[in-house]
Amino acid sequence: MSNYIYINDVGPRDGLQNQATILDPQARIELINRLIDSGIPGIEICSFVNPKAVPAMSGADQIVKAFEGNQTCDFSVLVPNMKGYELAKDAGAKTVTVVPSATETMNQKNINMSLEETLDSAKEILKTATADNLNTRAYISVAWECPYEGKVDSARILSIADQLLDAGATELILADTIGATNPKDVSVLFRQITQNVDPSILSAHFHDTRALGLANVVAALNEGISKFDACIGGLGGCPFAPGAAGNLATEDLCSMLHQMGYQTNVDLIKLLDAVEYISKQLKKDIGGRMTPWFRKSLYPA
Ligand code: COA
Ligand code: ZN
């Protein structure tokens, strides 16, 4: 279906990893169930990281086990290193996502490895996961701009992309981790990468820090990209990337796509239910830019 856009909600991972309120696995499982009910085809459900570094992600194994055998959705988990991979595999994860960043400093701050060590580790995980018959995804974080080193040269992204694909990544996600890029630079990078990489295995992950998330999506759509990460309620941000605000809200993304005639399989009313649920759990009013309007149109005063 040519007008179908695949959405992967990263709320249970990117959305919750940096919140002041830490949710227990049961509450995170409930959020995931609501996202499943909304029809979202992909969900990043947790990360296997050091719980001392990111307490909000503790209990990842319980979350994976809760969805064992559930085939309604593609469930993926983030793994920063081989230890995380082994834990994820033991818990029963079917899809693992590695998370190399494009710069030296970002890798040091995020996962305590040099760029070279990070790439070697990511490639080893991808090869092992492929041999273990697991599905693989690979982020390239700070693909446009790094909070520590500034703008990132696109030649570096193309080289990292080649290495990750050679190692067995079946999907590559270019991530604007701090929400610093713009539609022009999004077009430039996707136009370059799609010279050699099939757009159907590429995905984009935008943060909405400077209110350019949707504009960046349109730029990526124009380059043939049909998979996007987004985050329920516009939550999100990496604890180790200063300046990162929330991800592009899933409800804003789906609302725009539906208005443009694309199909996503996502039911916006049920998505709003997930927004209300997570707002209550986090004890704060969250939601995308369209949420107040959407609430009013559903429940006029
Ligand atoms: N999951 C759980 N525990 C892990 C782990 C993983 N993937 N990797 C390492 N550990 C544990 C080790 O067992 C060790 O535990 P101990 O103190 O009880 O002995 C401790 O972490 C330190 O191990 P080490 O190998 O020295 O790791 P590190 O200190 O270099 O930390 C990371 C590496 C990646 C685990 C850590 O930096 C981390 O979890 N970062 C979070 C990254 C993140 O979530 N970023 C946001 C998303 S991109
Ligand atoms: Zn992110």
Side-chain angles (χ1 to χ4, degrees), residues 98 100-102 138-143 157 160-161 164 172-177:
V98 294
S101 297
Y139 281 109
I140 304 180
S141 283
V142 299
I157 304 302
I160 294 174
L164 297 172
L172 209 56
I173 311 123
L174 301 192
D176 181 23
T177 310

Side-chain angles (χ1 to χ4, degrees), residues 10 13-14 175 177 205 207 237-238 247:
V10 296
R13 198 276 302 171
D14 207 343
T177 310
H205 174 114
H207 283 251
C238 174
N247 290 64

Side-chain angles (χ1 to χ4, degrees), residues 70-149:
N70 185 327
Q71 308 209 335
T72 49
C73 209
D74 301 328
F75 301 106
S76 58
V77 305
L78 185 146
V79 295
N81 55 12
M82 194 45 100
K83 169 151 188 166
Y85 172 73
E86 295 293 350
L87 291 171
K89 192 181 86 172
D90 290 349
K94 298 279 178 284
T95 302
V96 293
T97 310
V98 294
V99 64
S101 297
T103 65
E104 186 64 38
T105 320
M106 188 63 211
N107 285 305
Q108 296 281 6
K109 300 274 186 193
N110 194 32
I111 55 174
N112 200 22
M113 283 190 240
S114 68
L115 175 57
E116 195 183 341
E117 286 167 337
T118 304
L119 288 176
D120 286 348
S121 160
K123 288 187 268 186
E124 194 192 348
I125 295 169
L126 290 169
K127 285 179 187 159
T128 311
T130 307
D132 289 340
N133 272 327
L134 300 193
N135 302 314
T136 54
R137 307 172 78 231
Y139 281 109
I140 304 180
S141 283
V142 299
W144 284 270
E145 188 166 327
C146 168
Y148 305 102
E149 298 186 22

Side-chain angles (χ1 to χ4, degrees), residues 7-12 14 40 42 204-206 228-235 247-254:
I7 313 277
N8 181 52
D9 195 294
V10 296
D14 207 343
I40 291 256
H205 174 114
F206 295 121
F228 294 91
D229 280 0
C231 183
I232 186 73
L235 294 168
N247 290 64
L248 173 60
T250 311
E251 54 273 32
D252 287 347
L253 175 59
C254 292

Side-chain angles (χ1 to χ4, degrees), residues 17-85:
Q17 69 187 5
N18 203 17
Q19 295 299 318
T21 305
I22 291 181
L23 303 187
D24 62 25
Q26 204 46 50
R28 286 143 62 198
I29 289 166
E30 182 56 35
L31 168 65
I32 295 163
N33 275 322
R34 286 170 194 244
L35 291 171
I36 294 170
D37 283 349
S38 78
I40 291 256
I43 308 177
E44 191 170 80
I45 56 176
C46 58
S47 57
F48 284 84
V49 297
N50 183 352
K52 284 183 197 144
V54 188
M57 290 294 106
S58 65
D61 54 336
Q62 293 172 53
I63 295 189
V64 170
K65 289 201 173 88
F67 297 97
E68 202 172 2
N70 185 327
Q71 308 209 335
T72 49
C73 209
D74 301 328
F75 301 106
S76 58
V77 305
L78 185 146
V79 295
N81 55 12
M82 194 45 100
K83 169 151 188 166
Y85 172 73

